[in-house]
Amino acid sequence: MSKGKLFVISGASGVGKGTVLNRVMHLRDDLSFSVSATTRNPRDNEIDGVHYDFITKEAFEEMIRQDGFLEYSAHHENYYGTPAGPVRKLLEEGKTVILIIEVQGAGNVKRMFPEACNIFIIPPSFEILEKRLRGRGTDDDESIIKRLDIAKGELARAEEFDYIVENDVLEEAVADIITIIK
């Protein structure tokens, strides 16, 4: 059995990574999505085990001690990480695996899996990114300012990725991702 392919989708908070990937997964049932773990609280529309594995800080730190993550990082006072076991199992089964992870984590995964394809999603403008973050209604003004400050540094790293996809028109971004995967 051949080893599967790994695709990493990344970008600043608010660029629409989840929205784009949800549409891609709807159109391509041959892809496997790796569910990340986080210690943050779920948003109103998020389902445990589907959007994230929502776990306690203590459980996350225990997984860190047991070397249970491909990558992990702390953002906005919460941990985010990719559990290693499920990803390795899917790849060994020959599956195409998609990860949505933070910019820092994407670099860590690329070092572990040099053959991985890293895709960076950018907003059409920084102003639209701010509008999207505010439109979520999930963060206070202070959190949004922090996210935007972090986004500046993350957007500056776009050239480190194999592909850059602009998420202006959703269907075009989805088509671009599907073309890259093919």
Side-chain angles (χ1 to χ4, degrees):
M1 186 178 300
S2 66
K3 189 173 181 180
K5 295 180 182 177
L6 181 61
F7 291 87
V8 176
I9 297 179
S10 192
S13 180
V15 298
K17 299 179 295 286
T19 302
V20 171
L21 187 59
N22 285 340
R23 188 71 56 94
V24 168
M25 298 298 286
H26 178 73
L27 296 171
R28 292 282 307 264
D29 62 0
D30 60 322
L31 305 175
S32 297
F33 175 65
S34 172
V35 178
S36 296
T38 185
T39 59
R40 77 162 170 77
N41 291 325
R43 295 184 182 126
D44 288 342
N45 62 337
E46 292 177 324
I47 300 166
D48 186 37
V50 174
H51 299 99
Y52 282 98
D53 285 330
F54 295 98
I55 63 175
T56 66
K57 184 176 181 182
E58 294 76 19
F60 199 104
E61 289 172 344
E62 181 59 28
M63 287 180 71
I64 292 171
R65 284 190 288 279
Q66 293 180 8
D67 207 22
F69 290 103
L70 292 180
E71 57 80 32
Y72 69 91
S73 60
H75 288 277
H76 316 292
E77 301 175 14
N78 290 296
Y79 284 120
Y80 295 82
T82 305
V87 172
R88 288 195 170 109
K89 181 178 185 290
L90 289 166
L91 289 172
E92 289 303 317
E93 292 172 355
K95 308 281 186 188
T96 299
V97 180
I98 309 290
L99 307 178
I100 293 182
I101 56 179
E102 301 294 328
V103 174
Q104 175 187 351
N108 294 338
V109 171
K110 188 71 168 180
R111 282 187 284 284
M112 292 176 70
F113 295 91
E115 69 282 5
C117 177
N118 283 359
I119 302 167
F120 194 85
I121 298 179
I122 60 170
S125 70
F126 199 75
E127 293 74 25
I128 289 175
L129 178 64
E130 181 175 359
K131 183 178 176 182
R132 288 177 182 173
L133 285 171
R134 292 189 185 284
R136 282 180 176 173
T138 58
D139 294 306
D140 60 25
D141 198 53
E142 183 180 336
S143 295
I144 290 171
I145 290 168
K146 283 181 187 176
R147 287 183 186 276
L148 290 170
D149 188 50
I150 291 168
K152 287 176 187 173
E154 290 174 334
L155 292 169
R157 295 183 61 189
E159 296 297 326
E160 298 173 19
F161 287 72
D162 300 312
Y163 295 93
I164 299 172
V165 173
E166 183 180 294
N167 183 18
D168 184 12
V169 177
L170 178 60
E171 294 307 324
E172 290 176 12
V174 169
D176 289 346
I177 300 285
I178 289 173
T179 299
I180 293 166
I181 291 170
K182 286 180 185 177

Short mmCIF file of all heavy atoms in Angstrom, two decimals, residues 98-148:
data_model
loop_
_atom_site.label_atom_id
_atom_site.label_comp_id
_atom_site.label_asym_id
_atom_site.label_seq_id
_atom_site.Cartn_x
_atom_site.Cartn_y
_atom_site.Cartn_z
N ILE A 98 -5.74 16.16 5.22
CA ILE A 98 -5.74 17.61 5.24
C ILE A 98 -5.66 18.09 6.69
O ILE A 98 -6.44 17.65 7.53
CB ILE A 98 -7.03 18.19 4.62
CG1 ILE A 98 -7.33 17.59 3.25
CG2 ILE A 98 -6.97 19.71 4.57
CD1 ILE A 98 -6.41 17.98 2.16
N LEU A 99 -4.73 18.99 6.96
CA LEU A 99 -4.62 19.63 8.27
C LEU A 99 -4.91 21.12 8.12
O LEU A 99 -4.49 21.73 7.15
CB LEU A 99 -3.20 19.51 8.84
CG LEU A 99 -2.52 18.16 8.93
CD1 LEU A 99 -1.10 18.34 9.48
CD2 LEU A 99 -3.30 17.24 9.82
N ILE A 100 -5.63 21.69 9.07
CA ILE A 100 -5.73 23.14 9.19
C ILE A 100 -4.98 23.49 10.46
O ILE A 100 -5.39 23.09 11.55
CB ILE A 100 -7.18 23.64 9.31
CG1 ILE A 100 -7.96 23.38 8.05
CG2 ILE A 100 -7.18 25.14 9.62
CD1 ILE A 100 -9.39 23.92 8.13
N ILE A 101 -3.87 24.22 10.30
CA ILE A 101 -3.08 24.56 11.48
C ILE A 101 -2.53 25.97 11.38
O ILE A 101 -2.51 26.58 10.31
CB ILE A 101 -1.94 23.54 11.72
CG1 ILE A 101 -1.05 23.39 10.50
CG2 ILE A 101 -2.51 22.20 12.12
CD1 ILE A 101 0.09 22.41 10.71
N GLU A 102 -2.06 26.46 12.51
CA GLU A 102 -1.49 27.79 12.58
C GLU A 102 -0.18 27.84 11.79
O GLU A 102 0.45 26.81 11.51
CB GLU A 102 -1.22 28.17 14.05
CG GLU A 102 -2.45 28.15 14.93
CD GLU A 102 -3.46 29.23 14.56
OE1 GLU A 102 -3.07 30.33 14.11
OE2 GLU A 102 -4.66 28.96 14.72
N VAL A 103 0.24 29.04 11.45
CA VAL A 103 1.41 29.26 10.61
C VAL A 103 2.66 28.62 11.22
O VAL A 103 3.42 27.93 10.53
CB VAL A 103 1.61 30.76 10.35
CG1 VAL A 103 2.90 31.03 9.60
CG2 VAL A 103 0.41 31.33 9.61
N GLN A 104 2.88 28.83 12.50
CA GLN A 104 4.05 28.26 13.18
C GLN A 104 4.02 26.73 13.09
O GLN A 104 5.03 26.09 12.81
CB GLN A 104 4.06 28.71 14.63
CG GLN A 104 5.15 28.08 15.46
CD GLN A 104 4.99 28.46 16.94
OE1 GLN A 104 4.19 29.31 17.31
NE2 GLN A 104 5.77 27.82 17.79
N GLY A 105 2.86 26.14 13.33
CA GLY A 105 2.72 24.69 13.28
C GLY A 105 2.97 24.13 11.90
O GLY A 105 3.51 23.03 11.74
N ALA A 106 2.58 24.88 10.86
CA ALA A 106 2.80 24.42 9.49
C ALA A 106 4.29 24.21 9.21
O ALA A 106 4.68 23.23 8.58
CB ALA A 106 2.20 25.41 8.49
N GLY A 107 5.11 25.11 9.72
CA GLY A 107 6.56 24.96 9.56
C GLY A 107 7.09 23.73 10.27
O GLY A 107 7.95 23.01 9.76
N ASN A 108 6.56 23.46 11.46
CA ASN A 108 6.97 22.28 12.21
C ASN A 108 6.60 20.99 11.48
O ASN A 108 7.38 20.04 11.42
CB ASN A 108 6.35 22.28 13.61
CG ASN A 108 6.86 23.41 14.47
OD1 ASN A 108 7.93 23.96 14.23
ND2 ASN A 108 6.10 23.78 15.47
N VAL A 109 5.39 20.94 10.93
CA VAL A 109 4.95 19.75 10.19
C VAL A 109 5.80 19.57 8.93
O VAL A 109 6.18 18.45 8.59
CB VAL A 109 3.44 19.83 9.85
CG1 VAL A 109 3.04 18.71 8.89
CG2 VAL A 109 2.61 19.76 11.12
N LYS A 110 6.13 20.66 8.26
CA LYS A 110 6.95 20.58 7.04
C LYS A 110 8.33 20.00 7.35
O LYS A 110 8.89 19.25 6.55
CB LYS A 110 7.06 21.96 6.39
CG LYS A 110 7.71 21.97 5.04
CD LYS A 110 6.84 21.35 3.98
CE LYS A 110 7.39 21.63 2.59
NZ LYS A 110 6.57 21.05 1.53
N ARG A 111 8.87 20.32 8.53
CA ARG A 111 10.17 19.75 8.90
C ARG A 111 10.06 18.24 9.15
O ARG A 111 10.95 17.48 8.82
CB ARG A 111 10.73 20.46 10.14
CG ARG A 111 11.34 21.82 9.81
CD ARG A 111 12.04 22.47 10.99
NE ARG A 111 11.13 23.03 11.98
CZ ARG A 111 10.47 24.18 11.82
NH1 ARG A 111 10.63 24.88 10.73
NH2 ARG A 111 9.67 24.62 12.78
N MET A 112 8.92 17.80 9.72
CA MET A 112 8.71 16.38 9.99
C MET A 112 8.32 15.61 8.73
O MET A 112 8.65 14.44 8.58
CB MET A 112 7.62 16.19 11.04
CG MET A 112 8.00 16.66 12.41
SD MET A 112 6.63 16.50 13.57
CE MET A 112 6.54 14.74 13.74
N PHE A 113 7.58 16.28 7.83
CA PHE A 113 7.10 15.68 6.59
C PHE A 113 7.48 16.61 5.44
O PHE A 113 6.64 17.37 4.94
CB PHE A 113 5.57 15.52 6.63
CG PHE A 113 5.07 14.56 7.66
CD1 PHE A 113 4.72 15.00 8.93
CD2 PHE A 113 4.91 13.21 7.36
CE1 PHE A 113 4.26 14.12 9.89
CE2 PHE A 113 4.45 12.32 8.32
CZ PHE A 113 4.12 12.78 9.59
N PRO A 114 8.73 16.54 4.98
CA PRO A 114 9.17 17.45 3.91
C PRO A 114 8.34 17.34 2.62
O PRO A 114 8.27 18.27 1.85
CB PRO A 114 10.62 17.06 3.66
CG PRO A 114 11.03 16.23 4.82
CD PRO A 114 9.80 15.67 5.43
N GLU A 115 7.73 16.18 2.43
CA GLU A 115 6.92 15.97 1.23
C GLU A 115 5.53 16.59 1.33
O GLU A 115 4.78 16.64 0.35
CB GLU A 115 6.79 14.47 0.93
CG GLU A 115 5.93 13.70 1.93
CD GLU A 115 6.59 13.34 3.26
OE1 GLU A 115 7.74 13.76 3.53
OE2 GLU A 115 5.95 12.63 4.04
N ALA A 116 5.18 17.09 2.50
CA ALA A 116 3.86 17.72 2.70
C ALA A 116 3.74 18.95 1.82
O ALA A 116 4.72 19.65 1.56
CB ALA A 116 3.65 18.11 4.16
N CYS A 117 2.53 19.21 1.37
CA CYS A 117 2.25 20.40 0.57
C CYS A 117 1.60 21.44 1.47
O CYS A 117 0.53 21.19 2.04
CB CYS A 117 1.31 20.04 -0.59
SG CYS A 117 0.84 21.46 -1.58
N ASN A 118 2.26 22.58 1.63
CA ASN A 118 1.76 23.64 2.49
C ASN A 118 1.07 24.71 1.67
O ASN A 118 1.67 25.28 0.75
CB ASN A 118 2.90 24.26 3.31
CG ASN A 118 3.31 23.40 4.47
OD1 ASN A 118 2.74 22.34 4.71
ND2 ASN A 118 4.31 23.85 5.21
N ILE A 119 -0.19 25.00 2.02
CA ILE A 119 -1.01 25.98 1.30
C ILE A 119 -1.36 27.10 2.27
O ILE A 119 -1.87 26.85 3.37
CB ILE A 119 -2.31 25.33 0.78
CG1 ILE A 119 -1.97 24.14 -0.13
CG2 ILE A 119 -3.17 26.36 0.05
CD1 ILE A 119 -3.16 23.25 -0.45
N PHE A 120 -1.10 28.33 1.87
CA PHE A 120 -1.36 29.50 2.70
C PHE A 120 -2.54 30.26 2.12
O PHE A 120 -2.54 30.62 0.95
CB PHE A 120 -0.13 30.40 2.74
CG PHE A 120 -0.17 31.46 3.81
CD1 PHE A 120 0.25 31.17 5.10
CD2 PHE A 120 -0.61 32.73 3.53
CE1 PHE A 120 0.22 32.12 6.09
CE2 PHE A 120 -0.65 33.71 4.52
CZ PHE A 120 -0.23 33.40 5.81
N ILE A 121 -3.55 30.51 2.94
CA ILE A 121 -4.71 31.27 2.51
C ILE A 121 -4.56 32.71 3.00
O ILE A 121 -4.27 32.94 4.17
CB ILE A 121 -6.02 30.65 3.04
CG1 ILE A 121 -6.18 29.23 2.48
CG2 ILE A 121 -7.22 31.52 2.66
CD1 ILE A 121 -7.41 28.50 2.95
N ILE A 122 -4.74 33.63 2.05
CA ILE A 122 -4.64 35.06 2.39
C ILE A 122 -5.99 35.74 2.16
O ILE A 122 -6.79 35.29 1.34
CB ILE A 122 -3.55 35.78 1.57
CG1 ILE A 122 -3.84 35.69 0.06
CG2 ILE A 122 -2.17 35.22 1.89
CD1 ILE A 122 -2.95 36.57 -0.80
N PRO A 123 -6.23 36.83 2.88
CA PRO A 123 -7.44 37.61 2.63
C PRO A 123 -7.19 38.55 1.44
O PRO A 123 -6.04 38.81 1.08
CB PRO A 123 -7.61 38.42 3.92
CG PRO A 123 -6.20 38.64 4.38
CD PRO A 123 -5.45 37.39 3.99
N PRO A 124 -8.25 39.08 0.85
CA PRO A 124 -8.05 40.03 -0.24
C PRO A 124 -7.38 41.33 0.23
O PRO A 124 -6.68 41.98 -0.54
CB PRO A 124 -9.45 40.30 -0.78
CG PRO A 124 -10.40 39.65 0.13
CD PRO A 124 -9.65 38.74 1.05
N SER A 125 -7.58 41.68 1.50
CA SER A 125 -6.93 42.86 2.07
C SER A 125 -6.94 42.73 3.59
O SER A 125 -7.71 41.94 4.15
CB SER A 125 -7.66 44.15 1.66
OG SER A 125 -8.92 44.22 2.32
N PHE A 126 -6.10 43.52 4.22
CA PHE A 126 -6.05 43.52 5.68
C PHE A 126 -7.35 44.09 6.26
O PHE A 126 -7.83 43.63 7.29
CB PHE A 126 -4.83 44.30 6.17
CG PHE A 126 -4.45 43.98 7.58
CD1 PHE A 126 -3.81 42.79 7.89
CD2 PHE A 126 -4.75 44.86 8.61
CE1 PHE A 126 -3.47 42.49 9.20
CE2 PHE A 126 -4.41 44.57 9.92
CZ PHE A 126 -3.76 43.38 10.21
N GLU A 127 -7.94 45.04 5.56
CA GLU A 127 -9.20 45.63 6.01
C GLU A 127 -10.33 44.59 6.01
O GLU A 127 -11.15 44.55 6.93
CB GLU A 127 -9.59 46.83 5.13
CG GLU A 127 -8.66 48.02 5.25
CD GLU A 127 -7.30 47.83 4.58
OE1 GLU A 127 -7.19 47.03 3.63
OE2 GLU A 127 -6.33 48.47 5.02
N ILE A 128 -10.35 43.75 5.00
CA ILE A 128 -11.37 42.69 4.94
C ILE A 128 -11.13 41.66 6.04
O ILE A 128 -12.07 41.15 6.64
CB ILE A 128 -11.43 42.07 3.54
CG1 ILE A 128 -12.03 43.08 2.57
CG2 ILE A 128 -12.23 40.76 3.54
CD1 ILE A 128 -12.06 42.66 1.12
N LEU A 129 -9.86 41.37 6.32
CA LEU A 129 -9.55 40.46 7.42
C LEU A 129 -10.12 41.01 8.73
O LEU A 129 -10.76 40.28 9.48
CB LEU A 129 -8.03 40.26 7.53
CG LEU A 129 -7.58 39.36 8.68
CD1 LEU A 129 -8.08 37.94 8.50
CD2 LEU A 129 -6.06 39.39 8.79
N GLU A 130 -9.90 42.28 8.99
CA GLU A 130 -10.44 42.88 10.21
C GLU A 130 -11.96 42.80 10.23
O GLU A 130 -12.56 42.46 11.26
CB GLU A 130 -9.98 44.33 10.35
CG GLU A 130 -10.50 44.98 11.61
CD GLU A 130 -9.98 46.39 11.84
OE1 GLU A 130 -9.19 46.90 11.03
OE2 GLU A 130 -10.38 46.98 12.87
N LYS A 131 -12.58 43.07 9.11
CA LYS A 131 -14.05 43.02 9.02
C LYS A 131 -14.55 41.61 9.31
O LYS A 131 -15.54 41.42 10.02
CB LYS A 131 -14.50 43.46 7.62
CG LYS A 131 -15.99 43.51 7.44
CD LYS A 131 -16.34 44.00 6.04
CE LYS A 131 -17.84 43.95 5.83
NZ LYS A 131 -18.21 44.36 4.47
N ARG A 132 -13.86 40.59 8.80
CA ARG A 132 -14.25 39.20 9.05
C ARG A 132 -14.12 38.84 10.52
O ARG A 132 -14.99 38.19 11.09
CB ARG A 132 -13.41 38.24 8.20
CG ARG A 132 -13.75 38.29 6.72
CD ARG A 132 -12.84 37.38 5.92
NE ARG A 132 -13.14 37.45 4.51
CZ ARG A 132 -12.41 36.86 3.56
NH1 ARG A 132 -11.34 36.16 3.89
NH2 ARG A 132 -12.75 36.99 2.30
N LEU A 133 -13.01 39.26 11.13
CA LEU A 133 -12.82 38.97 12.56
C LEU A 133 -13.90 39.64 13.40
O LEU A 133 -14.45 39.03 14.32
CB LEU A 133 -11.43 39.42 13.01
CG LEU A 133 -10.26 38.55 12.59
CD1 LEU A 133 -8.93 39.24 12.93
CD2 LEU A 133 -10.33 37.18 13.22
N ARG A 134 -14.20 40.87 13.09
CA ARG A 134 -15.24 41.58 13.85
C ARG A 134 -16.62 40.97 13.58
O ARG A 134 -17.46 40.90 14.47
CB ARG A 134 -15.23 43.06 13.52
CG ARG A 134 -13.98 43.76 14.03
CD ARG A 134 -14.04 45.27 13.91
NE ARG A 134 -12.77 45.87 14.31
CZ ARG A 134 -12.36 46.02 15.56
NH1 ARG A 134 -13.13 45.61 16.55
NH2 ARG A 134 -11.19 46.56 15.84
N GLY A 135 -16.84 40.51 12.36
CA GLY A 135 -18.13 39.94 11.98
C GLY A 135 -18.44 38.61 12.66
O GLY A 135 -19.60 38.22 12.75
N ARG A 136 -17.42 37.93 13.13
CA ARG A 136 -17.64 36.68 13.86
C ARG A 136 -18.45 36.88 15.13
O ARG A 136 -19.21 36.02 15.54
CB ARG A 136 -16.30 36.06 14.30
CG ARG A 136 -15.53 35.36 13.27
CD ARG A 136 -14.27 34.85 13.95
NE ARG A 136 -13.45 34.06 13.06
CZ ARG A 136 -12.25 33.63 13.37
NH1 ARG A 136 -11.73 33.90 14.55
NH2 ARG A 136 -11.56 32.91 12.52
N GLY A 137 -18.19 38.02 15.77
CA GLY A 137 -18.87 38.31 17.03
C GLY A 137 -18.43 37.44 18.19
O GLY A 137 -19.15 37.29 19.17
N THR A 138 -17.23 36.84 18.09
CA THR A 138 -16.76 35.93 19.14
C THR A 138 -15.67 36.53 20.01
O THR A 138 -15.31 35.95 21.02
CB THR A 138 -16.22 34.63 18.52
OG1 THR A 138 -15.16 34.94 17.60
CG2 THR A 138 -17.32 33.88 17.78
N ASP A 139 -15.12 37.68 19.60
CA ASP A 139 -13.99 38.27 20.33
C ASP A 139 -14.29 39.70 20.71
O ASP A 139 -14.96 40.43 19.96
CB ASP A 139 -12.72 38.25 19.46
CG ASP A 139 -12.22 36.85 19.17
OD1 ASP A 139 -12.00 36.10 20.14
OD2 ASP A 139 -12.04 36.52 17.99
N ASP A 140 -13.74 40.13 21.84
CA ASP A 140 -13.85 41.54 22.21
C ASP A 140 -12.82 42.33 21.42
O ASP A 140 -11.97 41.77 20.72
CB ASP A 140 -13.70 41.72 23.72
CG ASP A 140 -12.36 41.25 24.27
OD1 ASP A 140 -11.36 41.20 23.51
OD2 ASP A 140 -12.31 40.92 25.46
N ASP A 141 -12.88 43.64 21.53
CA ASP A 141 -12.01 44.51 20.74
C ASP A 141 -10.53 44.25 21.03
O ASP A 141 -9.71 44.22 20.11
CB ASP A 141 -12.36 45.98 21.01
CG ASP A 141 -11.81 46.90 19.95
OD1 ASP A 141 -12.07 46.63 18.76
OD2 ASP A 141 -11.11 47.87 20.30
N GLU A 142 -10.21 44.03 22.29
CA GLU A 142 -8.81 43.76 22.66
C GLU A 142 -8.30 42.48 21.99
O GLU A 142 -7.18 42.44 21.47
CB GLU A 142 -8.69 43.64 24.19
CG GLU A 142 -7.26 43.43 24.67
CD GLU A 142 -7.18 43.31 26.19
OE1 GLU A 142 -8.07 43.83 26.89
OE2 GLU A 142 -6.21 42.69 26.66
N SER A 143 -9.11 41.43 21.97
CA SER A 143 -8.72 40.17 21.32
C SER A 143 -8.55 40.35 19.82
O SER A 143 -7.63 39.80 19.22
CB SER A 143 -9.76 39.09 21.59
OG SER A 143 -9.80 38.77 22.96
N ILE A 144 -9.43 41.12 19.22
CA ILE A 144 -9.33 41.37 17.77
C ILE A 144 -8.05 42.12 17.45
O ILE A 144 -7.34 41.77 16.49
CB ILE A 144 -10.58 42.12 17.26
CG1 ILE A 144 -11.79 41.17 17.30
CG2 ILE A 144 -10.35 42.66 15.84
CD1 ILE A 144 -13.12 41.83 17.03
N ILE A 145 -7.72 43.10 18.25
CA ILE A 145 -6.47 43.85 18.03
C ILE A 145 -5.27 42.92 18.14
O ILE A 145 -4.34 42.97 17.33
CB ILE A 145 -6.37 45.04 19.01
CG1 ILE A 145 -7.42 46.09 18.61
CG2 ILE A 145 -4.97 45.65 19.01
CD1 ILE A 145 -7.63 47.18 19.65
N LYS A 146 -5.27 42.01 19.13
CA LYS A 146 -4.18 41.03 19.27
C LYS A 146 -4.12 40.13 18.04
O LYS A 146 -3.05 39.86 17.50
CB LYS A 146 -4.38 40.17 20.52
CG LYS A 146 -4.03 40.84 21.81
CD LYS A 146 -4.23 39.89 22.98
CE LYS A 146 -4.06 40.57 24.30
NZ LYS A 146 -4.35 39.68 25.44
N ARG A 147 -5.28 39.62 17.59
CA ARG A 147 -5.32 38.74 16.42
C ARG A 147 -4.78 39.46 15.18
O ARG A 147 -4.06 38.87 14.38
CB ARG A 147 -6.73 38.23 16.17
CG ARG A 147 -7.19 37.17 17.16
CD ARG A 147 -8.59 36.66 16.81
NE ARG A 147 -9.11 35.76 17.80
CZ ARG A 147 -8.86 34.46 17.86
NH1 ARG A 147 -8.06 33.90 16.98
NH2 ARG A 147 -9.39 33.72 18.81
N LEU A 148 -5.15 40.72 15.01
CA LEU A 148 -4.68 41.48 13.84
C LEU A 148 -3.18 41.72 13.91
O LEU A 148 -2.49 41.66 12.89
CB LEU A 148 -5.44 42.80 13.73
CG LEU A 148 -6.91 42.67 13.32
CD1 LEU A 148 -7.63 44.00 13.48
CD2 LEU A 148 -7.03 42.15 11.89
#
